[in-house]
Amino acid sequence: MTRHETLTPAQELHANVSVPFGAARAMPKSVYTSPEFLAQEMRQIFAADWLCAGRADALPNPGDYLTMQIAGEPIIVLRDRDGVLRAMSNVCRHRMSTLLEGRGTTRAIVCPYHAWTYNLDGTLRGAPAMALNEGFCKSDVRLPQVRCEDWLGWIMVTLNPGAPEPAERLQGVEALVGKFHMENYIEAFREEFRWATNWKVLAENFMESYHLPVCHADTIGHTVDLLKMTCPEGDPAFNYHFIIKNDALDLTLAHPTNTTLEGDDRRTTWLISIYPSLLITLSPGYFWYLCLTPDGPGHVNVLFGGGLAPEFGADPKAEEHFARLKTLLDEVNVEDKGCVEKVYRGICSAMGAPGHLSHLERPNFEFAQYIASRIAPETTPAGAP
């Protein structure tokens, strides 16, 4: 390659992850700022892997639904009349209007344009003024179905018919934290917001706790000791690390009535990053999570939810516990927003350059390896004839 040729973002990323972890640097700036690289991520990652739509207990009753987008594809997730979770296209089979918005409860899916009406299984129930069309047959029309699974209480959805089942792909997660039984944790809040940063910057922020004592000095920074933090090697489908907490915050510890967890498990908080974009903090007392959707290179849409462990939820002071938790998490979010937006502004600067990673940032390097594994480097450098 001559000095006049430049590497594409994918080529830069592959070169970045080709070194041993001990020599690793942060990902190249181009993989955060390039619209072309984001388009590759949408096709080869978000349209191909399992994404999370939130917690299954957010849809407890038949007709409860939520909407999401997967790589630009509008999707409905709902509980049907038999109590089964389903996902399907959110686009009418007539003139292609989107159907439902946000979340709520409905007895049927009614198109807001011409009132074509679908049952909760996606079959067409009614189509006004179509009886005189000889080529129309109601029984032939159905909203395309999308794969949807309840995995340990998480709604997992994919457009990829060939993707391995979540239970198979993520069996390592259950081996690590199965004793916490996160399928029994109850979601108490679910919110959405948009931050001015690249989705990977926010994901990486979650994956390392190196920043906690500084970025979160006013909230949770005092509950951790960097010297007691462990960042083991991860799995091809996820990375993780864990923190053995001190007694500064009782909600991070196992409730006195929890007789299942013993020893350090009673005070260990796990941070699990399920590729590409489900980020879970799981403690003996509570959980919270983020689900990330890119919105251009410089913005990310975030689904933010969480709640208490069953023992704290059953405590007579459950409302007080939850109020403390929500206040804490909101304050932590404000701190994280400031940090990740500053990072993206720095990435966009002319003089910014990726530096060496700490041993506490192993998950970030593994995340970069995951992205590189999904996006093949182009054979022709950008600008080449």
Side-chain angles (χ1 to χ4, degrees):
M1 182 176 295
T2 71
R3 61 186 178 89
H4 300 291
E5 295 175 334
T6 58
L7 296 175
T8 66
Q11 289 169 333
E12 285 192 283
L13 178 61
H14 278 261
N16 173 264
V17 300
S18 67
V19 302
F21 172 57
R25 290 178 178 266
M27 280 193 280
K29 293 162 59 176
S30 61
V31 305
Y32 301 100
T33 61
S34 165
E36 292 77 18
F37 189 79
L38 176 61
Q40 290 178 287
E41 290 178 321
M42 297 300 277
R43 292 192 306 270
Q44 299 172 40
I45 293 177
F46 284 85
D49 232 329
W50 288 93
L51 304 178
C52 182
R55 294 289 291 176
D57 63 297
L59 304 177
N61 303 309
D64 290 346
Y65 71 86
L66 57 86
T67 58
M68 65 185 300
Q69 287 213 10
I70 301 179
E73 191 69 44
I75 301 295
I76 300 168
V77 180
L78 57 73
R79 199 168 292 277
D80 69 14
R81 296 195 181 282
D82 295 324
V84 176
L85 278 174
R86 286 183 177 272
M88 62 191 77
S89 172
N90 193 18
V91 178
C92 184
R93 303 298 282 175
H94 174 220
R95 292 271 296 283
M96 294 172 285
S97 169
T98 51
L99 297 165
L100 298 177
E101 294 185 0
R103 58 184 300 214
T105 302
T106 187
R107 298 181 65 179
I109 302 168
V110 182
C111 179
Y113 198 16
H114 297 96
W116 281 36
T117 302
Y118 302 85
N119 296 307
L120 297 183
D121 64 359
T123 55
L124 184 65
R125 178 188 295 184
M130 290 296 294
L132 299 182
N133 186 322
E134 295 181 359
F136 173 73
C137 180
K138 185 175 71 173
S139 62
D140 291 340
V141 180
R142 182 177 186 178
L143 297 177
Q145 302 293 292
V146 176
R147 292 178 69 191
C148 180
E149 296 286 341
D150 179 340
W151 171 74
L152 298 183
W154 302 96
I155 303 171
M156 305 299 288
V157 186
T158 185
L159 299 179
N160 183 359
E165 295 289 334
E168 174 188 345
R169 178 173 178 259
L170 300 172
Q171 56 186 321
V173 174
E174 192 165 4
L176 286 172
V177 297
K179 64 184 72 174
F180 281 67
H181 296 288
M182 62 179 166
E183 66 273 16
N184 296 327
Y185 285 48
I186 304 300
E187 183 174 83
F189 71 93
R190 175 190 169 102
E191 301 171 359
E192 297 183 42
F193 47 80
R194 182 174 183 259
W195 286 356
T197 192
N198 182 267
W199 76 277
K200 293 184 293 299
V201 173
L202 180 49
E204 289 177 301
N205 181 75
F206 179 93
M207 291 172 188
E208 53 93 348
S209 294
Y210 185 24
H211 72 284
L212 295 188
V214 180
C215 182
H216 300 295
D218 294 333
T219 54
I220 58 175
H222 64 289
T223 69
V224 303
D225 182 344
L226 294 184
L227 297 179
K228 295 182 179 179
M229 194 177 300
T230 304
C231 295
E233 290 189 24
D235 179 276
F238 66 94
N239 69 54
Y240 69 99
H241 65 285
F242 57 89
I243 308 168
I244 299 176
K245 295 290 186 74
N246 58 32
D247 295 338
L249 180 61
D250 62 324
L251 288 177
T252 65
L253 310 177
H255 192 275
T257 62
N258 183 328
T259 59
T260 302
L261 298 177
E262 300 177 344
D264 281 346
D265 285 335
R266 297 186 65 83
R267 58 178 63 247
T268 300
T269 294
W270 293 80
L271 295 98
I272 303 168
S273 302
I274 296 174
Y275 303 142
S277 59
L278 170 57
L279 312 171
I280 305 168
T281 293
L282 180 67
S283 82
Y286 67 87
F287 81 109
W288 64 270
Y289 68 91
L290 304 175
C291 299
L292 311 182
T293 303
D295 186 7
H299 288 88
V300 58
N301 293 319
V302 184
L303 171 60
F304 169 47
L308 296 169
E311 297 82 11
F312 276 98
D315 189 287
K317 295 184 177 181
E319 289 189 14
E320 176 187 327
H321 294 321
F322 174 69
R324 286 195 294 133
L325 172 65
K326 189 61 169 64
T327 297
L328 173 67
L329 294 180
D330 286 345
E331 292 172 350
V332 169
N333 258 347
V334 169
E335 294 168 333
D336 275 329
K337 181 176 187 291
C339 287
V340 300
E341 292 187 345
K342 287 183 178 74
V343 169
Y344 189 70
R345 289 198 296 271
I347 287 172
C348 293
S349 72
M351 291 188 288
H356 287 285
L357 297 179
S358 162
H359 73 281
L360 296 175
E361 295 170 297
R362 176 186 291 276
N364 299 54
F365 184 63
E366 293 178 344
F367 179 50
Q369 290 177 313
Y370 160 78
I371 295 171
S373 74
R374 293 297 194 269
I375 297 182
E378 302 89 339
T379 55
T380 304

